[in-house]
Amino acid sequence: MNSDKRIKIVKIILSVIFCIIALYVFYLETFEAKQYEQMAESQHTFQLPLLAERGKIFDCQDRPIVYNQMTASIRILPQYVRPSAIDSVANLLAQYNLKPKNEILHELRTRRSLYWFKKNIDYQVACSLKQKLRKCKFDNSVIVADAIRRIYPFSEILASVTGFVGDEAGLAGIEYRYDSILKGTEGYIVLQKDASGNNFAWSSYPTKKPINGQDIVLTINLDIQDIAYRELANYVNRFKALRGQVIVLNAQDAALLALAEYPDYDPHQPTQFSQELWKAASISDEFEPGSVYKLLICATALESPNRDLLINQKYDVSNGFITISGKKIKDVHNNGILDFPGIFIKSSNIGVSLLSQLVSPKDFFLKQREFGFGMPTGIELPGEAAGYIDKPANLKPLRFANIAFGQGVRVTLLQLAMAYLSIANDGELLKPYLVKEIRNQNKVVMCNKRTVVRRVLSSENAQIIKEILAGVVNQGTGRAAALSGFQVCGKTGTAQKIEPNGTYSATRSVMTFIGFFPKENPKYLIAVMIDEPKISRFAGEVTCPLYRSIAEQIIQLDNPHYKPNANLLTMNQ
């Protein structure tokens, strides 16, 4: 092969190589440019997040119930720690009692990439450490970053309402429900990074300012919440119960003044407690209500086509039992012959069972729905349960009788409270609310107010039930809930719990009392529930005194000169 041919072949090969390289460069610049640009940026720049301050939460009187505290966290880049400096870095960190020196040395020698060294350290300690790191030129490998810690000053007293934050996001309660409003928007600043990992501000690099979260004002009254929680804890422990719940509502607009649960958890360290405690059980846990549910058969009868017949006849319960579909229904006490109000005042299971046989199952089903049972109330907390009610086709005589006195349905304490609140509001069902206002930089951007969902009873029939409920407290099962100077309208409930074998327990029960006062122009409604008290059998001995104790202290908040009648409870018992 002559030299000309060889030169030509070499030229062709070089041309092909050049074309391949050119095509590859074109491919990189066209299709891979973004990736390499990002790689270059990551090697030469560092994006430092600028934290947005999470919005605060206040009670109805603008007292802070959740706020923020400046703290700091430490991250370490072990690849930037020179072998000769490992001991010095460990010494410095150990001087601040952040971890034992041996543990620090082990981490620095075994880890290979960025890791969290310590979170939530004291802010003043962090500032001092940051200065020392900068002075020793360790700040390229040990990064001290500002952080914000969420503070819950009332801890378990309000935990079911406030919830808590984890990994910069709300995980329960109001913190979870309104996370997007509270958390704000994080900003950032881009810094220049040199080969040693040192960061420098550069004016041409972009910066984005953080947007702080909005504040939330709740309807909760701290004083009433504290009263409710302390008294509830006292009664749960006194009667050796599993747990308890208390709801206090403003009777005029359905604002939630207190939602107390015991036992509760510490929102600063929620993982130390069962996740069951993280939810607001008053709105998420369903139970069979017992006699407090007799309100529904009473309301259905008053609005039925044969109303006059039902409210004017007598109900003979003197045998102490009746038989429906082969099953006996009993009363605890022999009540003789009762009129319409009397079967509720004396809380006669036989009486309401007889009444249920005279009422349309369809009318009863619809009345339950009107009162809000079988559906959530819409309260601003996560995990609200709907409860359960039977359809009319399932309301056979025995089933209907059982449901009439509160067996066979599932409700939440809030649903019961709202049903009774409709009586206090002359037959209008209101929507409960927990969030009073949302504020953005002290400017109100959302405000809640009294909202009527629908009318569930005529004003006349609501007044009749109000008189009956007053009778329950004056001469019936709720006498231990009476208040000196105020007429209470309310109802007790003692519901047997279901055993694993499907039968009703002879020893385990859920006890409730729900009442409002004063009778005319009611101001407060209080609903209390005690689960499985070991010492007493009846709600009149457990939940009524609890109601009374909470109510008397609330009255004293309004009127410091109010003096409860110490003998009234003894007389009523």
Side-chain angles (χ1 to χ4, degrees):
M1 183 184 295
N2 59 37
S3 60
D4 288 342
K5 269 190 173 182
R6 284 199 299 270
I7 292 171
K8 191 177 288 186
I9 290 171
V10 170
K11 285 182 177 179
I12 291 171
I13 292 171
L14 291 174
S15 298
V16 170
I17 292 172
F18 177 79
C19 289
I20 291 172
I21 292 171
L23 287 171
Y24 183 64
V25 171
F26 175 77
Y27 168 78
L28 291 178
E29 290 183 344
T30 305
F31 299 102
E32 301 288 338
K34 197 69 179 176
Q35 177 184 342
Y36 284 100
E37 183 182 335
Q38 290 172 352
M39 288 174 61
E41 281 186 8
S42 68
Q43 293 174 0
H44 297 95
T45 62
F46 173 72
Q47 184 168 296
L48 179 69
L50 300 177
L51 297 178
E53 184 175 356
R54 194 171 177 88
K56 294 179 281 294
I57 303 176
F58 300 89
D59 87 330
C60 65
Q61 296 181 9
D62 275 353
R63 293 173 288 191
I65 55 180
V66 182
Y67 58 89
N68 304 308
Q69 183 182 74
M70 285 302 297
T71 181
S73 296
I74 301 173
R75 292 177 295 175
I76 294 181
L77 285 157
Q79 62 268 40
Y80 287 133
V81 180
R82 300 183 306 277
S84 59
I86 287 178
D87 195 68
S88 299
V89 170
N91 270 329
L92 178 57
L93 294 174
Q95 285 174 16
Y96 284 87
N97 297 317
L98 299 174
K99 284 183 184 180
K101 181 180 176 181
N102 289 341
E103 184 178 336
I104 300 170
L105 283 171
H106 177 73
E107 290 178 357
L108 292 177
R109 287 169 177 160
T110 57
R111 290 183 178 264
R112 295 289 179 266
S113 59
L114 178 71
Y115 72 96
W116 284 107
F117 174 76
K118 192 85 171 177
K119 291 185 178 182
N120 292 324
I121 66 172
D122 182 81
Y123 190 68
Q124 297 303 320
V125 170
C127 290
S128 172
L129 175 60
K130 193 184 290 188
Q131 289 180 346
K132 287 275 186 75
L133 289 168
R134 191 177 297 119
K135 184 177 179 181
C136 298
K137 296 185 179 180
F138 295 151
D139 55 327
N140 64 324
S141 55
V142 181
I143 302 166
V144 180
D146 290 350
I148 297 173
R149 187 185 179 209
R150 206 68 163 153
I151 301 297
Y152 304 94
F154 300 97
S155 193
E156 68 275 7
I157 293 175
L158 266 169
S160 292
V161 175
T162 62
F164 63 94
V165 172
D167 294 328
E168 308 303 326
L171 297 180
I174 286 291
E175 293 276 33
Y176 174 80
R177 176 65 175 78
Y178 285 89
D179 185 61
S180 61
I181 287 172
L182 288 165
K183 70 180 180 182
T185 305
E186 190 178 80
Y188 61 85
I189 180 171
V190 177
L191 303 174
Q192 176 73 43
K193 184 164 67 176
D194 66 16
S196 299
N198 298 301
N199 300 309
F200 305 95
W202 198 260
S203 59
S204 62
Y205 285 168
T207 299
K208 180 182 177 183
K209 290 184 178 179
I211 301 172
N212 291 337
Q214 299 178 51
D215 296 333
I216 292 179
V217 181
L218 301 182
T219 57
I220 293 292
N221 182 307
L222 267 178
D223 299 316
I224 296 177
Q225 179 74 25
D226 182 60
I227 290 168
Y229 181 83
R230 283 189 293 100
E231 289 302 317
L232 177 62
N234 178 24
Y235 273 76
V236 168
N237 291 325
R238 182 193 302 182
F239 289 95
K240 301 186 186 306
L242 283 183
R243 58 178 184 163
Q245 303 166 8
V246 173
I247 289 174
V248 183
L249 290 162
N250 181 324
Q252 297 169 355
D253 65 1
L256 196 64
L257 301 176
L259 189 153
E261 298 178 0
Y262 182 85
D264 219 321
Y265 68 96
D266 182 356
H268 292 114
Q269 44 184 1
T271 56
Q272 303 300 312
F273 299 81
S274 166
Q275 290 189 21
E276 279 294 303
L277 294 177
W278 295 0
K279 61 186 178 181
S282 305
I283 69 152
S284 62
D285 284 5
E286 302 170 350
F287 61 94
E288 292 193 2
S291 292
V292 74
Y293 202 68
K294 289 172 182 173
L295 169 71
L296 277 298
I297 192 69
C298 180
T300 307
L302 287 172
E303 302 250 315
S304 69
N306 56 340
R307 171 185 186 276
D308 292 340
L309 172 66
L310 298 177
I311 67 174
N312 291 318
Q313 77 172 49
K314 302 296 182 180
Y315 297 85
D316 187 354
V317 300
S318 57
N319 282 339
F321 72 91
I322 59 170
T323 302
I324 299 178
S325 301
K327 297 289 185 180
K328 283 186 177 180
I329 293 175
K330 304 176 183 179
D331 277 341
V332 176
H333 306 289
N334 190 331
N335 292 306
I337 297 175
L338 299 172
D339 58 10
F340 181 80
I343 63 177
F344 301 103
I345 291 172
K346 297 299 182 181
S347 199
S348 170
N349 288 349
I350 300 173
V352 296
S353 297
L354 292 170
L355 180 60
S356 72
Q357 311 306 296
L358 305 173
V359 170
S360 160
K362 182 179 178 182
D363 289 346
F364 181 71
F365 169 78
L366 292 175
K367 188 57 64 179
Q368 291 177 102
R369 295 290 284 181
E370 286 177 10
F371 270 89
F373 293 101
M375 63 187 80
T377 67
I379 193 69
E380 308 101 314
L381 282 171
E384 184 177 14
Y388 172 80
I389 58 175
D390 270 329
K391 294 180 180 178
N394 296 333
L395 296 178
K396 306 305 181 188
L398 179 60
R399 179 72 172 170
F400 194 177
N402 287 335
I403 291 173
F405 56 80
Q407 284 187 349
V409 292
R410 297 197 304 271
V411 303
T412 67
L413 187 62
L414 182 60
Q415 286 176 324
L416 288 171
M418 297 314 300
Y420 276 77
L421 194 69
S422 69
I423 306 304
N425 281 271
D426 296 324
E428 289 184 333
L429 180 69
L430 304 185
K431 183 181 184 299
Y433 66 99
L434 176 60
V435 174
K436 179 183 177 183
E437 294 175 353
I438 296 177
R439 298 174 182 168
N440 187 7
Q441 297 180 345
N442 294 322
K443 180 181 179 182
V444 176
V445 295
M446 191 282 288
C447 183
N448 263 325
K449 60 180 181 179
R450 183 180 191 269
T451 302
V452 177
V453 179
R454 57 184 161 268
R455 177 166 286 282
V456 298
L457 281 173
S458 68
S459 180
E460 176 191 356
N461 287 334
Q463 187 60 38
I464 291 173
I465 295 179
K466 192 182 286 187
E467 295 292 341
I468 291 172
L469 296 178
V472 171
V473 177
N474 291 338
Q475 60 194 62
T477 57
R479 286 175 292 173
L483 300 169
S484 58
F486 295 89
Q487 175 61 67
V488 176
C489 301
K491 183 74 184 75
T492 55
T494 302
Q496 296 167 287
K497 297 183 76 170
I498 298 177
E499 297 288 5
N501 63 6
T503 61
Y504 281 98
S505 174
T507 58
R508 302 189 305 125
S509 61
V510 175
M511 299 181 184
T512 52
F513 182 83
I514 303 174
F516 54 84
F517 69 92
K519 177 183 169 186
E520 305 304 327
N521 299 315
K523 188 171 182 181
Y524 297 105
L525 180 140
I526 305 173
V528 302
M529 186 273 272
I530 300 290
D531 189 5
E532 286 193 38
K534 303 291 189 301
I535 293 179
S536 180
R537 290 182 57 209
F538 302 108
E541 301 169 351
V542 181
T543 53
C544 287
L546 171 57
Y547 175 96
R548 173 190 170 91
S549 182
I550 293 171
E552 286 179 340
Q553 292 180 65
I554 290 174
I555 294 169
Q556 286 179 317
L557 287 177
D558 292 341
N559 179 12
H561 303 294
Y562 173 76
K563 293 182 179 179
N565 185 343
N567 298 317
L568 186 59
L569 180 58
T570 304
M571 291 188 295
N572 283 332
Q573 290 179 327

